[in-house]
Amino acid sequence: MSEVREFKTESKRLLELMINSIYSNKEIFLRELISNASDAIDKHHYLSLTDDSLDRGREYEIDLSFSKENRTITIKDNGIGMTKEEMIDSLGTIAKSGSNEFMKKLLDASEKEKVEIIGQFGVGFYSSYMVASKVEVVSKSEKSDKAYKFASFGTDSYEIDEVEAKFEGTEVTLYLREGEEFDNYLDQWELQTLVKRYSDYIRYPIKMDFESEEQEVDKDGKKVEGKYNKVIENKTLNSMTPIWKKKKNEVLDEELNEFYKQKYYDYQDPLANILINVEGKLNYTALIFIPKKAPYDLYSDKFEKGLQLYSKSVFIMDKCKDLVPDYLRFIRGLVDSNDLSLNISRELLQKNKDIEDIASNVEKRIVSKLETMLKNEREKYVEFFDTYGINIKYGIYDKFGLKKDLLKDIVLYHTISSDGYVTLNEYVEAMKEGQEFIYYASGKTKEAVLALPQMDLVKKKGYDVLVLTDDVDEFAINIMQEYNGKKFKSINQGDLDLLSDEEKEKIKQTALDKKALLDKIKEVLKDDVKDVVLSERLEDSPVCLVSEDGISFEMEKVMNQLPNGEGVKATRILEINPKHKLFEAIENLFNDNDPMLETYFKLLYEQALLIEGISLSDPVAFSNRMCELMIKSAKY
């Protein structure tokens, strides 16, 4: 006689979510049931090592079958099996750790969020009801002489019956719902595809009978036209041995590269692969690839970073973003661990300490690989940096420079003296005697930097200068502040300190002598500049614009391009070369009280803006002033 029991409250709610789910990725039900079967076999194998009453010589396997006539799918294992009490605990109640939190998360979520949660994490045995109107489970444990059957339509209750069973283990039968979207699961090729996608690396063979037709032959071995015989072949659907589980000396780079191309649909070999195998307090393997080409949408809002996540070789999540820092978002690969804390739904617990530890170690291994590539395969590393260098620079700047010490030795720069890249260490080693700072300048190109008037004295001294062409460059430099005891110095900010004391004193005295002129220029440009000074950095150029330490002109441009970034402005200081003939001409106009004096001063400032690549606030006014000057020069 059947024993009817009611599901626990939380189980009812979860079943209701499953039955009414609009989630499109219903196919995960097969992954979940196969994973449960694998877990049951694991448990039997483990217990058999210490319990003599259990069969140690059993050849473990998981059998998959289907019936189009009955609309059923059956998953059968020869694992530990369940007693009646265990069946009630496992199937009638969500009894695993973390389930209450998981249920609360589901029940508090919006419909869209529920769909995402279900789809991302799966829901163990209960996922069956996304595709089945009825589920039967027959199980026999070696601990019991009796076998039992669980049956339920996924409503309020379930039935438990004592039955005859000729096997030890568990058999789950799903009676599929009606509809075309469920008919696909009654196809041998579709089931094989799902096993390969989600459960290819389950350690036990997943077997299924494949039916095909073979042309009949007569007694002489000749094919009989139009006559065919049915052939049943039992095939193993999964590979069972993940390539990432192999030892490093057992797998070739060619094999890893081929695996990458097949798994990630890339026609090119990756630029590098990294196979990580860690044994200790936390056991895991990781297989990381650096694509040769960046994804076309790498810097778009739609791009999703992350590594695939496996637990005991069972696919859990396609893109676990917590395993990848933002600056390495371009990497592809996977992590597989037996030690992750997963509840019945295989939901990855938020802020999981194991995940944090794995992510930190994987990050360090990737950086170590890049360091080795830089040292031993310079050309390949340059190829990497041309593609992903901006990401490394972002990593230095991100999170207030948390990773700057990790990354500072693998960042590359062009300089005014080199044709190729140099590292910061190479720059420091090549510094001239007496050079105190690491000099840098920002510009769109190396040629633009070389043309800057601020470069006059630096070039004369023979000092090399880092050329910064990426938006993030100055932010990263400012976060680092120094490298191996050498501070960074912008050629466009503050005092370059390149003159002798005697030269400085001479300029200081000239500034005192010309104070009236400088004050007049400052008065005219009071709305545009903070100060007007005689320059200690100009040699050949007449004028330049510099900023105080802090926000530079390049940072101003970048920040004003960001949402809500308008209004950021670097402090402007106009520097005039006291040795240039233009300064002498301006002084003569000032002494003659020329009526066009203010026009000259404004043109001087606007000239400095244009040299710096800063847009003029009023181009029309600038054009009118130029016309006025041309007319006067022509002496009309």
Side-chain angles (χ1 to χ4, degrees):
M1 183 176 177
S2 297
E3 179 181 344
V4 179
R5 287 174 168 265
E6 286 200 358
F7 284 107
K8 297 293 184 181
T9 301
E10 60 269 24
S11 299
K12 288 181 183 179
R13 290 173 177 171
L14 184 53
L15 283 166
E16 183 180 352
L17 283 171
M18 294 302 96
I19 293 169
N20 298 306
S21 172
I22 59 172
Y23 180 59
S24 60
N25 192 26
K26 294 179 172 64
E27 63 194 30
I28 62 165
F29 80 90
L30 189 60
R31 175 195 74 181
E32 296 297 312
L33 295 179
I34 289 175
S35 296
N36 288 346
S38 176
D39 290 345
I41 294 175
D42 279 342
K43 188 172 183 181
H44 183 279
H45 175 67
Y46 175 75
L47 293 176
S48 70
L49 299 177
T50 55
D51 190 339
D52 293 334
S53 67
L54 298 182
D55 178 12
R56 294 185 183 179
R58 182 176 298 179
E59 291 196 14
Y60 298 116
E61 64 180 46
I62 300 168
D63 292 310
L64 180 61
S65 61
F66 68 96
S67 169
K68 288 186 177 181
E69 294 74 20
N70 299 321
R71 292 188 65 79
T72 60
I73 297 176
T74 301
I75 299 94
K76 180 179 177 182
D77 69 73
N78 57 350
I80 194 63
M82 290 179 281
T83 64
K84 179 180 179 181
E85 291 74 20
E86 289 170 339
M87 182 174 280
I88 292 169
D89 286 343
S90 296
L91 305 182
T93 308
I94 306 177
K96 298 293 180 74
S97 173
S99 59
N100 288 334
E101 291 77 3
F102 176 59
M103 279 304 305
K104 185 177 186 305
K105 187 174 182 180
L106 276 174
L107 296 172
D108 291 345
S110 66
E111 282 305 311
K112 181 179 179 182
E113 289 170 336
K114 286 175 184 175
V115 168
E116 291 175 350
I117 293 168
I118 293 167
Q120 188 173 14
F121 300 120
V123 284
F125 167 75
Y126 293 88
S127 64
S128 304
Y129 289 96
M130 290 196 290
V131 298
S133 58
K134 179 184 177 181
V135 179
E136 290 181 349
V137 181
V138 176
S139 190
K140 183 179 184 303
S141 169
E142 289 186 59
K143 301 176 186 177
S144 173
D145 295 329
K146 299 177 181 179
Y148 296 90
K149 180 174 76 172
F150 164 101
S152 177
F153 289 92
T155 52
D156 291 340
S157 62
Y158 58 93
E159 295 181 0
I160 298 285
D161 286 296
E162 184 179 327
V163 295
E164 292 290 330
K166 297 180 181 180
F167 67 93
E168 289 176 342
T170 301
E171 180 181 84
V172 182
T173 301
L174 278 60
Y175 293 81
L176 295 186
R177 300 185 195 184
E178 296 291 336
E180 290 184 7
E181 62 179 309
F182 304 107
D183 292 346
N184 290 335
Y185 304 129
L186 296 172
D187 178 84
Q188 61 186 12
W189 300 108
E190 176 66 15
L191 291 174
Q192 181 185 40
T193 298
L194 293 180
V195 170
K196 291 293 289 183
R197 180 181 302 161
Y198 292 108
S199 307
D200 194 38
Y201 304 118
I202 291 288
R203 71 184 73 185
Y204 309 109
I206 303 169
K207 296 184 176 182
M208 186 171 73
D209 285 341
F210 272 70
E211 183 180 296
S212 60
E213 289 187 339
E214 191 176 85
Q215 195 167 8
E216 189 175 314
V217 295
D218 59 22
K219 60 181 180 180
D220 297 323
K222 294 182 178 179
K223 294 181 179 180
V224 179
E225 192 68 32
K227 289 189 176 182
Y228 295 87
N229 297 319
K230 283 188 177 180
V231 177
I232 304 296
E233 181 184 2
N234 190 249
K235 292 184 179 181
T236 298
L237 306 181
N238 58 322
S239 64
M240 292 183 285
T241 305
I243 193 170
W244 61 86
K245 291 287 189 181
K246 296 180 180 180
K247 295 180 181 179
K248 291 181 180 180
N249 59 359
E250 295 177 351
V251 59
L252 301 174
D253 278 347
E254 289 77 10
E255 293 178 87
L256 293 174
N257 292 344
E258 192 60 35
F259 171 82
Y260 163 79
K261 287 188 287 187
Q262 291 180 6
K263 189 171 183 64
Y264 299 104
Y265 307 105
D266 197 341
Y267 68 94
Q268 292 182 304
D269 286 344
L271 193 63
N273 61 65
I274 308 166
L275 182 58
I276 304 168
N277 193 328
V278 175
E279 295 181 359
K281 185 178 179 181
L282 179 63
N283 300 292
Y284 69 91
T285 56
L287 181 54
I288 308 299
F289 298 98
I290 299 175
K292 186 179 287 286
K293 301 294 183 184
Y296 73 94
D297 59 345
L298 180 62
Y299 302 111
S300 74
D301 293 337
K302 295 181 180 179
F303 184 84
E304 293 183 77
K305 67 171 185 172
L307 298 177
Q308 290 185 318
L309 183 63
Y310 289 76
S311 178
K312 299 179 182 178
S313 301
V314 177
F315 177 71
I316 300 299
M317 186 186 302
D318 188 36
K319 291 182 179 179
C320 182
K321 63 182 181 181
D322 293 329
L323 287 169
V324 181
D326 282 344
Y327 75 92
L328 291 178
R329 62 201 317 236
F330 53 83
I331 65 169
R332 288 177 169 175
L334 55 89
V335 167
D336 187 356
S337 175
N338 295 344
D339 299 330
L340 296 179
S341 300
L342 301 168
N343 65 12
I344 192 171
S345 66
R346 291 174 176 81
E347 177 188 11
L348 183 63
L349 299 178
Q350 298 297 313
K351 303 299 181 184
N352 186 286
K353 183 63 168 59
D354 289 344
I355 286 291
E356 291 179 1
D357 290 343
I358 292 172
S360 177
N361 189 44
V362 168
E363 177 186 9
K364 291 175 183 175
R365 293 291 187 95
I366 294 172
V367 174
S368 178
K369 175 71 173 182
L370 294 175
E371 289 174 340
T372 302
M373 192 189 301
L374 174 60
K375 181 180 178 181
N376 300 328
E377 300 175 278
R378 181 73 173 230
E379 188 174 330
K380 181 186 283 192
Y381 186 80
V382 168
E383 182 181 356
F384 161 81
F385 200 81
D386 280 337
T387 305
Y388 303 112
I390 193 169
N391 295 74
I392 303 301
K393 294 173 182 178
Y394 174 77
I396 291 174
Y397 168 71
D398 192 30
K399 296 181 180 178
F400 304 100
L402 182 64
K403 305 293 176 64
K404 64 181 181 181
D405 290 333
L406 179 67
L407 303 176
K408 63 184 181 181
D409 286 315
I410 61 171
V411 68
L412 300 180
Y413 293 98
H414 287 292
T415 74
I416 63 171
S417 301
S418 62
D419 293 328
Y421 284 112
V422 300
T423 65
L424 290 175
N425 187 59
E426 288 166 346
Y427 178 97
V428 170
E429 287 185 343
M431 284 172 60
K432 296 190 69 174
E433 186 177 350
Q435 183 178 342
E436 185 178 350
F437 301 102
I438 300 173
Y439 293 103
Y440 67 89
S442 297
K444 291 184 178 180
T445 63
K446 178 178 177 178
E447 290 71 26
V449 167
L450 283 167
L452 289 173
Q454 295 92 325
M455 293 288 295
D456 286 356
L457 197 53
V458 177
K459 288 190 289 186
K460 183 179 179 181
K461 293 285 186 178
Y463 295 157
D464 206 357
V465 178
L466 302 180
V467 177
L468 310 187
T469 55
D470 290 325
D471 287 349
V472 72
D473 275 327
E474 284 203 32
F475 295 92
I477 289 287
N478 275 271
I479 281 290
M480 285 191 285
Q481 294 186 343
E482 57 87 26
Y483 178 85
N484 287 1
K486 296 290 185 179
K487 291 185 178 181
F488 292 98
K489 172 72 78 171
S490 169
I491 65 158
N492 205 29
Q493 285 184 292
D495 184 4
L496 291 183
D497 199 23
L498 293 176
L499 298 179
S500 66
D501 291 341
E502 182 180 346
E503 290 172 317
K504 288 181 181 179
E505 187 59 35
K506 184 177 180 180
I507 290 178
K508 185 177 180 180
Q509 186 58 51
T510 302
L512 289 174
D513 296 340
K514 313 299 182 183
K515 184 177 183 303
L517 172 59
L518 295 175
D519 287 346
K520 180 61 177 179
I521 300 173
K522 186 175 178 180
E523 179 187 343
V524 173
L525 302 177
K526 63 183 178 182
D527 295 332
D528 300 306
V529 300
K530 180 180 179 180
D531 204 357
V532 178
V533 299
L534 298 184
S535 180
E536 294 184 3
R537 75 187 80 222
L538 295 177
E539 278 287 306
D540 304 317
S541 305
V543 67
C544 72
L545 203 62
V546 299
S547 63
E548 290 185 331
D549 291 337
I551 301 295
S552 69
F553 297 136
E554 198 62 31
M555 294 168 75
E556 174 189 309
K557 296 174 194 174
V558 174
M559 295 173 73
N560 283 330
Q561 292 172 2
L562 300 175
N564 303 318
E566 293 185 11
V568 176
K569 194 171 183 179
T571 302
R572 288 161 163 73
I573 298 174
L574 184 66
E575 290 193 359
I576 302 174
N577 184 356
K579 296 175 286 186
H580 199 279
K581 288 185 177 181
L582 180 63
F583 183 67
E584 181 181 342
I586 290 176
E587 185 179 17
N588 291 334
L589 292 173
F590 175 69
N591 293 331
D592 294 340
N593 199 22
D594 193 296
M596 288 191 64
L597 193 61
E598 290 190 10
T599 299
Y600 282 106
F601 292 165
K602 289 179 180 178
L603 283 173
L604 196 66
Y605 170 66
E606 288 164 337
Q607 176 190 1
L609 285 175
L610 291 172
I611 292 171
E612 199 57 46
I614 300 174
S615 299
L616 301 178
S617 59
D618 190 348
V620 174
F622 169 73
S623 177
N624 290 336
R625 278 191 280 273
M626 286 296 297
C627 288
E628 188 178 1
L629 178 61
M630 291 169 67
I631 291 170
K632 182 178 179 181
S633 299
K635 297 181 181 180
Y636 281 121

